[in-house]
Amino acid sequence: MARLQGKVAIVTGAGSGMGRATAILYAQEGAKVVLAEFNEAAMNDTLAQIQAAGGTAVAIKTDVSKEADVDAMIQKALNEYGQFDVLANIAGIFDAMASVENTSNELFERVMGVNLNGQFYACRSAIKVFNEQATGGTIVNVASVAGYLGARGGAAYTMSKHAVIGLTKNIAAFYGRDNGKIRANVIAPGSIATGMTANLGTLDPLGALTFGDLGPFNGGEAEDIANTALFLASDESKFINGDVITVDGAWTSR
Ligand SMILES: NC(=O)c1ccc[n+]([C@@H]2O[C@H](COP(=O)([O-])OP(=O)(O)OC[C@H]3O[C@@H](n4cnc5c(N)ncnc54)[C@H](O)[C@@H]3O)[C@@H](O)[C@H]2O)c1
Protein backbone atom coordinates (compact mmCIF):
# COMPACT_ATOMS: atom_id res chain seq x y z
CA MET A 1 0.00 0.00 0.00
CA ALA A 2 1.14 3.55 -0.65
CA ARG A 3 2.77 5.06 2.41
CA LEU A 4 0.33 7.97 2.86
CA GLN A 5 -2.84 6.26 1.62
CA GLY A 6 -5.95 7.79 3.19
CA LYS A 7 -4.13 10.84 4.55
CA VAL A 8 -4.69 14.51 3.79
CA ALA A 9 -1.54 16.64 3.79
CA ILE A 10 -0.97 20.38 3.62
CA VAL A 11 2.39 21.41 2.13
CA THR A 12 3.48 25.04 2.38
CA GLY A 13 6.00 26.46 -0.06
CA ALA A 14 4.75 23.93 -2.60
CA GLY A 15 5.74 26.01 -5.63
CA SER A 16 9.48 25.37 -5.52
CA GLY A 17 12.35 23.30 -4.16
CA MET A 18 11.64 21.09 -1.17
CA GLY A 19 7.96 22.04 -0.92
CA ARG A 20 7.29 21.09 -4.54
CA ALA A 21 9.27 17.83 -4.26
CA THR A 22 7.44 16.94 -1.04
CA ALA A 23 3.98 17.72 -2.44
CA ILE A 24 4.67 15.57 -5.52
CA LEU A 25 6.02 12.69 -3.42
CA TYR A 26 3.13 12.83 -0.94
CA ALA A 27 0.66 12.65 -3.82
CA GLN A 28 2.58 9.73 -5.36
CA GLU A 29 2.28 7.96 -2.02
CA GLY A 30 -1.50 8.30 -1.98
CA ALA A 31 -2.07 11.47 0.04
CA LYS A 32 -4.62 14.05 -0.94
CA VAL A 33 -2.52 17.20 -0.95
CA VAL A 34 -3.34 20.85 -0.31
CA LEU A 35 -0.70 23.05 -1.92
CA ALA A 36 -0.20 26.34 -0.08
CA GLU A 37 2.09 28.86 -1.70
CA PHE A 38 2.65 32.56 -2.15
CA ASN A 39 3.67 32.33 -5.82
CA GLU A 40 0.44 31.36 -7.57
CA ALA A 41 1.95 30.50 -10.97
CA ALA A 42 4.55 28.21 -9.42
CA MET A 43 1.90 26.61 -7.22
CA ASN A 44 -0.32 25.91 -10.21
CA ASP A 45 2.62 24.34 -12.01
CA THR A 46 3.09 21.90 -9.11
CA LEU A 47 -0.65 21.21 -9.14
CA ALA A 48 -0.56 20.42 -12.86
CA GLN A 49 2.38 18.05 -12.36
CA ILE A 50 0.54 16.16 -9.61
CA GLN A 51 -2.69 15.92 -11.59
CA ALA A 52 -0.89 14.82 -14.75
CA ALA A 53 0.61 11.95 -12.77
CA GLY A 54 -2.86 10.93 -11.55
CA GLY A 55 -2.51 12.38 -8.04
CA THR A 56 -5.12 14.26 -6.02
CA ALA A 57 -4.46 17.85 -4.98
CA VAL A 58 -5.94 21.31 -4.64
CA ALA A 59 -4.15 24.62 -4.32
CA ILE A 60 -4.75 27.75 -2.30
CA LYS A 61 -2.75 30.94 -2.60
CA THR A 62 -1.32 31.49 0.88
CA ASP A 63 0.99 33.98 2.49
CA VAL A 64 2.01 31.96 5.53
CA SER A 65 3.02 35.11 7.40
CA LYS A 66 -0.68 36.10 7.51
CA GLU A 67 -2.74 34.29 10.12
CA ALA A 68 -5.97 34.63 8.12
CA ASP A 69 -4.34 32.99 5.09
CA VAL A 70 -3.08 30.12 7.22
CA ASP A 71 -6.53 29.57 8.73
CA ALA A 72 -8.03 29.57 5.22
CA MET A 73 -5.43 27.00 4.14
CA ILE A 74 -6.43 24.63 6.93
CA GLN A 75 -10.10 25.21 6.29
CA LYS A 76 -9.50 24.37 2.63
CA ALA A 77 -8.23 20.91 3.59
CA LEU A 78 -11.23 20.29 5.83
CA ASN A 79 -13.74 21.58 3.28
CA GLU A 80 -12.25 19.64 0.36
CA TYR A 81 -11.39 16.38 2.06
CA GLY A 82 -13.18 16.38 5.45
CA GLN A 83 -9.98 15.71 7.40
CA PHE A 84 -6.39 16.90 7.79
CA ASP A 85 -3.61 14.57 8.95
CA VAL A 86 -0.20 15.96 7.94
CA LEU A 87 1.16 19.49 8.08
CA ALA A 88 4.44 20.00 6.21
CA ASN A 89 5.65 23.51 7.02
CA ILE A 90 8.24 24.13 4.32
CA ALA A 91 7.84 27.73 3.05
CA GLY A 92 10.79 29.89 4.00
CA ILE A 93 12.98 32.79 2.91
CA PHE A 94 16.69 33.58 3.34
CA ASP A 95 18.33 36.75 4.63
CA ALA A 96 21.50 36.82 2.47
CA MET A 97 23.65 36.12 5.56
CA ALA A 98 22.94 39.61 6.97
CA SER A 99 24.93 40.29 10.14
CA VAL A 100 22.95 41.54 13.13
CA GLU A 101 24.07 45.14 12.57
CA ASN A 102 22.91 44.96 8.95
CA THR A 103 19.54 43.43 9.80
CA SER A 104 16.93 46.16 9.37
CA ASN A 105 13.64 45.94 11.22
CA GLU A 106 12.02 45.32 7.84
CA LEU A 107 14.28 42.35 7.04
CA PHE A 108 13.93 40.96 10.58
CA GLU A 109 10.14 41.13 10.47
CA ARG A 110 9.92 39.69 6.97
CA VAL A 111 12.14 36.71 7.80
CA MET A 112 10.51 36.04 11.16
CA GLY A 113 7.06 36.53 9.60
CA VAL A 114 7.53 33.77 7.04
CA ASN A 115 9.97 31.40 8.74
CA LEU A 116 8.64 31.55 12.29
CA ASN A 117 5.22 33.19 12.54
CA GLY A 118 4.01 31.17 9.55
CA GLN A 119 4.99 27.87 11.14
CA PHE A 120 3.59 28.96 14.52
CA TYR A 121 0.17 29.93 13.07
CA ALA A 122 -0.05 26.68 11.12
CA CYS A 123 1.04 24.48 14.04
CA ARG A 124 -1.41 26.17 16.41
CA SER A 125 -4.36 25.69 14.06
CA ALA A 126 -3.31 22.15 13.16
CA ILE A 127 -3.10 21.09 16.81
CA LYS A 128 -6.69 22.22 17.35
CA VAL A 129 -7.84 20.00 14.48
CA PHE A 130 -5.62 17.06 15.48
CA ASN A 131 -6.87 17.19 19.08
CA GLU A 132 -10.42 16.71 17.92
CA GLN A 133 -9.68 13.86 15.51
CA ALA A 134 -9.41 10.37 16.98
CA THR A 135 -6.57 9.74 14.54
CA GLY A 136 -4.57 12.82 15.63
CA GLY A 137 -2.05 14.14 13.14
CA THR A 138 1.60 14.78 12.32
CA ILE A 139 3.62 17.95 11.88
CA VAL A 140 6.79 18.06 9.79
CA ASN A 141 8.55 21.39 10.15
CA VAL A 142 11.53 22.40 8.05
CA ALA A 143 14.20 24.37 9.91
CA SER A 144 17.86 24.22 8.86
CA VAL A 145 21.25 23.37 10.30
CA ALA A 146 21.10 27.13 10.96
CA GLY A 147 18.58 26.11 13.62
CA TYR A 148 21.37 24.89 15.88
CA LEU A 149 24.56 26.47 14.48
CA GLY A 150 25.60 30.11 14.14
CA ALA A 151 27.23 30.46 10.72
CA ARG A 152 24.71 28.94 8.27
CA GLY A 153 22.54 32.04 7.88
CA GLY A 154 22.31 35.67 8.88
CA ALA A 155 21.05 36.80 12.28
CA ALA A 156 17.34 36.80 11.44
CA TYR A 157 17.44 33.49 9.55
CA THR A 158 19.42 31.83 12.34
CA MET A 159 17.03 33.13 15.00
CA SER A 160 13.98 32.03 13.05
CA LYS A 161 15.32 28.51 12.51
CA HIS A 162 16.42 28.10 16.15
CA ALA A 163 12.89 29.12 17.14
CA VAL A 164 11.31 26.56 14.79
CA ILE A 165 13.29 23.79 16.48
CA GLY A 166 12.12 25.07 19.88
CA LEU A 167 8.51 25.25 18.73
CA THR A 168 8.66 21.68 17.42
CA LYS A 169 10.16 20.26 20.62
CA ASN A 170 7.62 22.14 22.73
CA ILE A 171 4.72 20.73 20.71
CA ALA A 172 6.10 17.20 21.00
CA ALA A 173 6.68 17.56 24.74
CA PHE A 174 3.19 18.89 25.43
CA TYR A 175 1.11 16.83 22.98
CA GLY A 176 3.22 13.66 22.80
CA ARG A 177 1.65 12.32 26.01
CA ASP A 178 -1.03 10.46 24.12
CA ASN A 179 1.58 8.24 22.54
CA GLY A 180 1.85 8.97 18.84
CA LYS A 181 -1.57 10.59 18.40
CA ILE A 182 0.02 13.96 17.74
CA ARG A 183 3.64 14.13 16.59
CA ALA A 184 5.92 17.01 15.59
CA ASN A 185 9.39 16.61 14.12
CA VAL A 186 11.73 18.98 12.35
CA ILE A 187 14.12 18.51 9.44
CA ALA A 188 17.41 20.40 9.46
CA PRO A 189 18.65 20.49 5.86
CA GLY A 190 22.20 21.41 4.99
CA SER A 191 22.77 23.02 1.61
CA ILE A 192 20.20 21.83 -0.92
CA ALA A 193 19.94 22.86 -4.59
CA THR A 194 16.62 24.76 -4.80
CA GLY A 195 15.29 28.16 -5.81
CA MET A 196 16.67 29.52 -2.56
CA THR A 197 20.27 28.47 -3.12
CA ALA A 198 20.10 29.46 -6.81
CA ASN A 199 19.28 33.00 -5.75
CA LEU A 200 20.84 33.81 -2.40
CA GLY A 201 20.85 37.56 -3.07
CA THR A 202 23.80 39.87 -2.51
CA LEU A 203 25.57 38.37 0.47
CA ASP A 204 26.46 40.47 3.48
CA PRO A 205 30.30 40.91 3.50
CA LEU A 206 30.81 39.64 7.06
CA GLY A 207 28.26 36.89 6.49
CA ALA A 208 30.03 35.75 3.31
CA LEU A 209 33.40 35.75 5.07
CA THR A 210 32.06 33.71 7.99
CA PHE A 211 30.28 31.23 5.71
CA GLY A 212 33.40 30.95 3.53
CA ASP A 213 35.46 29.90 6.59
CA LEU A 214 33.40 26.69 6.74
CA GLY A 215 35.17 25.36 3.64
CA PRO A 216 33.83 23.07 0.91
CA PHE A 217 30.79 20.85 1.50
CA ASN A 218 28.40 18.57 -0.36
CA GLY A 219 25.06 19.83 -1.63
CA GLY A 220 21.87 17.78 -1.66
CA GLU A 221 18.70 17.69 -3.74
CA ALA A 222 15.13 18.67 -2.88
CA GLU A 223 14.18 14.99 -3.11
CA ASP A 224 16.54 14.19 -0.20
CA ILE A 225 14.36 16.38 1.98
CA ALA A 226 11.09 15.13 0.44
CA ASN A 227 12.05 11.54 1.25
CA THR A 228 12.70 12.50 4.87
CA ALA A 229 9.44 14.45 5.01
CA LEU A 230 7.65 11.36 3.68
CA PHE A 231 9.13 9.12 6.36
CA LEU A 232 8.20 11.62 9.09
CA ALA A 233 4.66 11.98 7.76
CA SER A 234 4.09 8.24 7.50
CA ASP A 235 3.27 5.79 10.27
CA GLU A 236 6.73 4.25 9.79
CA SER A 237 8.03 6.98 12.09
CA LYS A 238 5.22 6.60 14.65
CA PHE A 239 7.58 6.50 17.65
CA ILE A 240 9.67 9.47 16.50
CA ASN A 241 8.40 12.61 18.19
CA GLY A 242 10.20 15.89 18.90
CA ASP A 243 13.29 14.93 16.92
CA VAL A 244 15.56 17.06 14.72
CA ILE A 245 16.67 15.08 11.67
CA THR A 246 19.70 16.55 9.94
CA VAL A 247 19.95 15.92 6.21
CA ASP A 248 23.24 17.51 5.20
CA GLY A 249 25.67 15.02 3.63
CA ALA A 250 27.90 15.23 6.74
CA TRP A 251 28.35 19.02 6.59
CA THR A 252 27.85 19.36 10.34
CA SER A 253 29.70 16.17 11.24
CA ARG A 254 33.08 17.84 10.95
N1 LIG B 1 17.89 25.26 0.15
C1 LIG B 1 18.64 25.13 1.23
O1 LIG B 1 19.87 24.97 1.15
C2 LIG B 1 17.99 25.14 2.59
C3 LIG B 1 18.77 24.74 3.68
C4 LIG B 1 18.19 24.68 4.93
C5 LIG B 1 16.86 25.00 5.09
N2 LIG B 1 16.12 25.40 4.02
C6 LIG B 1 14.70 25.69 4.25
O2 LIG B 1 13.94 24.85 3.43
C7 LIG B 1 12.67 25.44 3.18
C8 LIG B 1 12.35 25.35 1.70
O3 LIG B 1 13.26 26.15 1.00
P1 LIG B 1 13.76 25.82 -0.48
O4 LIG B 1 15.24 25.72 -0.39
O5 LIG B 1 12.98 24.74 -1.07
O6 LIG B 1 13.47 27.25 -1.14
P2 LIG B 1 12.64 27.70 -2.42
O7 LIG B 1 12.87 29.16 -2.49
O8 LIG B 1 13.00 26.86 -3.59
O9 LIG B 1 11.13 27.40 -2.01
C9 LIG B 1 10.48 28.13 -1.01
C10 LIG B 1 9.04 28.36 -1.44
O10 LIG B 1 8.37 29.06 -0.36
C11 LIG B 1 7.54 30.04 -0.97
N3 LIG B 1 7.26 31.13 -0.05
C12 LIG B 1 8.08 32.15 0.30
N4 LIG B 1 7.44 32.99 1.12
C13 LIG B 1 6.21 32.50 1.30
C14 LIG B 1 5.08 32.93 2.03
N5 LIG B 1 5.11 34.06 2.74
N6 LIG B 1 3.97 32.17 2.00
C15 LIG B 1 3.93 31.03 1.27
N7 LIG B 1 4.94 30.59 0.54
C16 LIG B 1 6.09 31.32 0.55
C17 LIG B 1 8.31 30.51 -2.18
O11 LIG B 1 7.48 31.18 -3.12
C18 LIG B 1 8.90 29.22 -2.69
O12 LIG B 1 8.04 28.59 -3.62
C19 LIG B 1 12.77 26.85 3.73
O13 LIG B 1 12.13 26.89 5.00
C20 LIG B 1 14.25 27.07 3.88
O14 LIG B 1 14.55 28.00 4.90
C21 LIG B 1 16.65 25.49 2.77
Side-chain angles (χ1 to χ4, degrees):
M1 193 168 84
R3 292 160 74 188
L4 296 182
Q5 199 64 46
K7 296 198 191 288
V8 174
I10 295 176
V11 180
T12 75
S16 175
M18 301 173 197
R20 171 175 284 174
T22 300
I24 290 172
L25 187 59
Y26 279 9
Q28 274 171 8
E29 289 294 337
K32 297 180 179 113
V33 185
V34 176
L35 313 175
E37 163 66 54
F38 189 60
N39 179 335
E40 210 167 2
M43 174 178 77
N44 287 334
D45 191 40
T46 306
L47 180 65
Q49 287 188 45
I50 290 174
Q51 289 173 338
T56 304
V58 289
I60 178 165
K61 185 176 181 195
T62 308
D63 178 347
V64 296
S65 69
K66 297 202 168 106
E67 187 181 1
D69 277 24
V70 172
D71 286 345
M73 162 188 100
I74 288 177
Q75 205 50 52
K76 178 90 176 167
L78 296 172
N79 291 346
E80 291 283 339
Y81 302 124
Q83 68 188 75
F84 161 43
D85 310 287
V86 177
L87 170 66
N89 266 324
I90 304 184
I93 55 174
F94 196 55
D95 65 355
M97 297 293 301
S99 63
V100 68
E101 67 182 309
N102 289 338
T103 300
S104 64
N105 288 350
E106 190 278 327
L107 177 64
F108 176 76
E109 277 154 23
R110 190 154 40 88
V111 171
M112 295 303 261
V114 179
N115 293 5
L116 176 58
N117 298 5
Q119 295 210 14
F120 162 67
Y121 296 143
C123 286
R124 186 172 58 186
S125 295
I127 290 288
K128 289 179 186 160
V129 176
F130 295 167
N131 265 329
E132 286 179 9
Q133 288 180 166
T135 47
T138 302
I139 294 169
V140 181
N141 288 332
V142 170
S144 165
V145 294
Y148 56 82
L149 294 169
R152 266 67 173 187
Y157 189 81
T158 301
M159 289 166 75
S160 71
K161 296 301 188 180
H162 273 67
V164 162
I165 290 179
L167 169 66
T168 311
K169 284 181 175 283
N170 179 266
I171 291 169
F174 276 44
Y175 297 95
R177 301 173 166 275
D178 198 354
N179 202 2
K181 182 182 168 193
I182 294 179
R183 298 189 296 122
N185 291 290
V186 53
I187 303 173
S191 181
I192 308 292
T194 65
M196 182 177 284
T197 42
N199 184 17
L200 288 173
T202 307
L203 292 187
D204 179 277
L206 184 57
L209 200 62
T210 307
F211 189 83
D213 285 345
L214 298 172
F217 55 88
N218 296 320
E221 298 170 342
E223 288 70 22
D224 294 318
I225 306 304
N227 284 321
T228 311
L230 171 61
F231 171 65
L232 289 176
S234 78
D235 296 339
E236 292 158 26
S237 59
K238 68 183 171 54
F239 201 56
I240 300 178
N241 203 352
D243 204 12
V244 185
I245 300 198
T246 295
V247 184
D248 76 342
W251 193 21
T252 54
S253 296
R254 59 193 164 88

